[in-house]
Amino acid sequence: MLNATLIALLVVMSLALARAIKGPSIHDRILAVNMFGTKTVLLIAVICFTFGKPEFLDIALVYALINFVSVIGVLRYFEFRSRHQDGTQNGTGEVASD
Amino acid sequence: MIDVLLSYTSGLLLFLGCFFMLTGAIGLLRFPDFYSRMHAAGVTDTLATVLILSGLMLMAGWSLALFKLALIMLFIFFTSPTASHALARSAQLCALRLTHAPVDNGPADVSRPTAETSTPASRMEAAEGS
Amino acid sequence: MRYTFCLFAVLAFIWLTNSGLYTPLLLCFGLISVVFVILIARRMKVVDGESLPLELWATLPGYYLWLWRKIIASNLEVAACVWGGLFSRRETISPCSERIPTRLKSDLGKVLYANSITLTPGTVAIDVDKDSVLVHALTRSGLNELKQGDMEKQILALTEQHAVAGTTGQKNEC
């Protein structure tokens, strides 16, 4: 069952990556990357049990922290950028402003 | 006897977790607009994560690994709504502004009312402080 | 002082469960880092009733238990939306958003309310105002269910009893 979970996690991560590549707006991409990060935490935790290395759980914990902080940081950055150049280009790449 | 029961239960939990995770990923891929995709991602963040981690916790037994898994679960449980709230609010502020009417399919052609904006600074504090 | 002590207990517990090595040197390091973190937190003035809602320790687990049942039910609904749309080729979702008025006064109650809304899949709290919450929902029925105010009543019962003490007594005690 652990191996099946591992495969399912990899499939889900590749689907999230597909959304991150395809995503029309920047927020779709951030959402997909956030989900990718959460699944990475789970992947590390499952790997820890398949290979019997309990140290990996610490890495999973730290990854969960970094994932949250990085999502908030990236959001702050884009919010600032879009507020900074509001009216000319609103940070989404493809969505034309107004 | 109890070992067999535990391993079957954890296998079931892992299976259910995989199912909900795949559901969320498919929803993320095929829902039409950004806000709906966020709901699909919410499925994988709450129930699927907790199911998989509790399956692993049953496998770990009474050890330090149990506490660490519980800590990871608690952390994801408390940060994922915060992250998705920040994401939604940022989307609201930046480009994909919602109207009060039901949202159309394309996020690009939603008109942008300007009266909707509220003070950004206080909201960000609320998102970070929870 | 109470909050500082509780923060110390929580941090020490986290250190002890994460390290797993109980030699005197490492315990000393743990003590030093816990005290350091407490000093930083006190300097940031975040050691108060908002970061550690101690008044709720008896009632909050019950609320989260109730919330879990909600989360599982709404998870099943969203999963049905996803799979139904995949197999039957008709539109199963009807995204909509609305401002829902709320009676919650305290900040803690509003944060708890918005957090619970976001935690249940199918509804996301986008913006919190003085007396309303902007909610986006996946289906119309999810929004209507929220508008009936079941969740709000729970939180109101949770935060009301100490609301008077919470606004006056917490700020100076740090």
Side-chain angles (χ1 to χ4, degrees):
Chain A
M1 199 59 222
L2 274 177
N3 290 331
T5 313
L6 219 56
I7 293 169
L9 271 167
L10 287 174
V11 168
V12 167
M13 281 165 81
S14 55
L15 287 178
L17 208 58
R19 174 48 78 193
I21 293 169
K22 210 169 91 181
S25 74
I26 200 83
H27 293 96
D28 284 304
R29 290 174 216 264
I30 297 174
L31 179 68
V33 167
N34 184 17
M35 187 171 148
F36 189 84
T38 321
K39 297 291 105 61
T40 311
V41 175
L42 289 183
L43 187 76
I44 297 171
V46 174
I47 280 177
C48 148
F49 278 85
T50 40
F51 296 125
K53 287 197 183 0
E55 309 88 56
F56 278 23
L57 277 181
D58 298 329
I59 303 175
L61 198 56
V62 171
Y63 200 92
L65 288 163
I66 291 177
N67 181 40
F68 174 64
V69 172
S70 67
V71 166
I72 296 291
V74 168
L75 277 176
R76 261 284 168 83
Y77 170 70
F78 278 108
E79 206 169 295
F80 176 74
R81 201 183 77 169
S82 67
R83 209 181 298 155
H84 193 62
Q85 32 176 266
D86 201 16
T88 51
Q89 177 200 358
N90 53 14
T92 56
E94 286 163 30
V95 181
S97 71
D98 294 329
Chain B
M1 177 58 205
I2 198 92
D3 279 350
V4 179
L5 201 66
L6 268 184
S7 72
Y8 273 112
T9 317
S10 77
L12 183 71
L13 286 177
L14 286 178
F15 176 77
L16 281 176
C18 289
F19 170 73
F20 277 107
M21 221 161 46
L22 278 172
T23 306
I26 289 170
L28 184 77
L29 213 58
R30 63 167 290 279
F31 274 172
D33 63 317
F34 167 71
Y35 290 99
S36 321
R37 281 176 206 140
M38 214 157 60
H39 300 303
V43 174
T44 66
D45 271 349
T46 53
L47 194 57
T49 307
V50 169
L51 281 174
I52 285 182
L53 284 181
S54 28
L56 291 180
M57 273 158 87
L58 286 184
M59 221 171 263
W62 281 107
S63 62
L64 223 55
L66 184 80
F67 284 105
K68 285 179 188 169
L69 284 171
L71 208 61
I72 294 175
M73 187 150 89
L74 209 67
F75 191 78
I76 290 181
F77 187 75
F78 281 115
T79 54
S80 82
T82 311
S84 58
H85 172 75
L87 194 64
R89 219 186 52 84
S90 160
Q92 173 87 351
L93 282 179
C94 284
L96 314 166
R97 187 139 317 147
L98 279 176
T99 52
H100 282 278
V103 180
D104 298 332
N105 278 343
D109 51 41
V110 175
S111 62
R112 302 179 63 187
T114 47
E116 266 278 305
T117 49
S118 50
T119 52
S122 62
R123 296 292 96 76
M124 202 62 201
E125 279 167 23
E128 282 167 357
S130 66
Chain C
M1 209 55 224
R2 207 155 50 104
Y3 295 110
T4 311
F5 187 73
C6 282
L7 186 63
F8 180 82
V10 169
L11 288 175
F13 179 73
I14 289 176
W15 174 280
L16 289 179
T17 51
N18 271 314
S19 94
L21 298 168
Y22 303 117
T23 59
L25 179 71
L26 282 173
L27 285 179
C28 265
F29 284 160
L31 189 67
I32 290 170
S33 53
V34 165
V35 168
F36 188 60
V37 168
I38 286 178
L39 283 180
I40 291 178
R42 286 189 66 123
R43 207 180 133 81
M44 285 168 75
K45 294 196 186 356
V46 291
V47 191
D48 56 8
E50 255 177 33
S51 60
L52 292 168
L54 291 181
E55 288 82 4
L56 300 179
W57 70 270
T59 44
L60 206 57
Y63 172 70
Y64 270 108
L65 218 61
W66 177 84
L67 188 63
W68 256 108
R69 255 174 294 162
K70 280 293 244 216
I71 288 177
I72 290 171
S74 57
N75 257 306
L76 290 175
E77 270 169 36
V78 175
C81 280
V82 172
W83 291 108
L86 195 64
F87 287 128
S88 68
R89 286 284 138 218
R90 65 187 166 76
E91 212 53 54
T92 48
I93 58 171
S94 52
C96 52
S97 63
E98 198 168 331
R99 245 178 211 291
I100 295 182
T102 170
R103 287 174 293 153
L104 295 166
K105 289 284 178 294
S106 63
D107 282 352
L108 186 67
K110 269 187 265 188
V111 166
L112 206 58
Y113 188 42
N115 220 9
S116 310
I117 290 174
T118 314
L119 210 49
T120 44
T123 50
V124 172
I126 295 170
D127 203 355
V128 186
D129 236 340
K130 209 193 289 180
D131 52 0
S132 67
V133 183
L134 178 60
V135 175
H136 183 273
L138 192 61
T139 56
R140 184 46 83 172
S141 65
L143 198 63
N144 287 338
E145 197 187 330
L146 197 64
K147 261 197 286 192
Q148 283 167 4
D150 223 6
M151 186 184 283
E152 193 187 357
K153 246 176 257 162
Q154 295 263 347
I155 297 176
L156 209 60
L158 203 66
T159 55
E160 209 172 41
Q161 64 234 18
H162 77 99
V164 183
T167 46
T168 56
Q170 269 170 18
K171 282 296 168 193
N172 42 17
E173 186 183 10
C174 170

